[in-house]
Amino acid sequence: MNNDYPNRYRRNSLIVGAVGIAAIGLGAATGWQRLRSTAPDDAVARFYAMSLPDASGQPFAFSGLAGRPLVVNFWATWCPPCVEEMPELSALYAERSPLGLKMIGIGIDSPAKIANFAARTPVSYPLVVAGMGGTDLGREFGNAAGVLPYTVLIDWRGRIVFRIVGRVKLDTLRQQLTALG
């Protein structure tokens, strides 16, 4: 009888087990990638079909934002980092809008507070009122924790290509926009 048989059996079992684990891991990673890449894009399509009131109470249709690079910034008047980054975002929008950039500020706040804020602090891009429903939209865009500020960059094809949780780092956002072309 060959004494090498148990060792060979054990070695082959380990190889088959490792290959099986790798296949399961690859399948899970592929599934996660597919979920990650399609779910937010579906959220973008739903977003473009929506409209919300702007700071003056007039309906603002998001369909007019489609087909261009778009920065979506979730913010609130009671959020200091949100308010602090708005002048930088406004300057970036003024600089890049002639090149086709679109930008929208989604306010997670009351209509009165956003209207008062807009009257005191003008920005160069539109502000809309989403109320607490904006938190759900942010989650659909990948902000599972509901943190503010939260900024998303959507490319011209309607794909989320970059997310920033917390205060925007303008140089990083500029680099992402440059990479889009």
Side-chain angles (χ1 to χ4, degrees):
M1 176 154 189
N2 187 350
N3 286 340
D4 191 38
Y5 178 75
N7 290 335
R8 197 171 347 134
Y9 177 76
R10 200 173 303 122
R11 184 177 48 242
N12 288 345
S13 295
L14 288 173
I15 291 170
V16 169
V19 168
I21 290 171
I24 290 169
L26 179 61
T30 302
W32 170 247
Q33 181 63 32
R34 189 176 304 124
L35 174 66
R36 202 178 68 186
S37 65
T38 58
D41 293 346
D42 291 345
V44 172
R46 285 189 301 278
F47 170 78
Y48 285 141
M50 293 174 58
S51 68
L52 289 172
D54 66 14
S56 65
Q58 298 302 308
F60 185 95
F62 296 141
S63 59
L65 303 172
R68 301 284 185 167
L70 172 65
V71 173
V72 180
N73 177 252
F74 294 87
W75 69 286
T77 61
W78 45 263
C79 168
C82 298
V83 174
E84 290 168 6
E85 73 182 4
M86 289 179 104
E88 294 173 348
L89 288 171
S90 188
L92 177 68
Y93 180 67
E95 166 192 319
R96 296 282 179 121
S97 63
L99 303 174
L101 177 68
K102 299 290 185 179
M103 189 177 293
I104 187 86
I106 309 254
I108 317 263
D109 219 324
S110 72
K113 288 183 180 179
I114 291 177
N116 288 337
F117 178 86
R120 287 189 330 267
T121 315
V123 294
S124 60
Y125 55 92
L127 301 176
V128 297
V129 180
M132 291 312 292
T135 304
D136 294 335
L137 180 59
R139 283 192 176 99
E140 287 188 40
F141 277 16
N143 186 5
V147 175
L148 291 179
Y150 180 63
T151 305
V152 174
L153 176 59
I154 300 170
D155 72 6
W156 58 273
R157 290 174 282 199
R159 295 179 311 170
I160 295 174
V161 294
F162 189 68
R163 295 177 181 91
I164 302 168
V165 176
R167 197 169 190 292
V168 165
K169 292 173 181 53
L170 209 56
D171 289 340
T172 304
L173 185 54
R174 261 198 190 95
Q175 289 170 353
Q176 294 297 319
L177 287 166
T178 300
L180 286 179

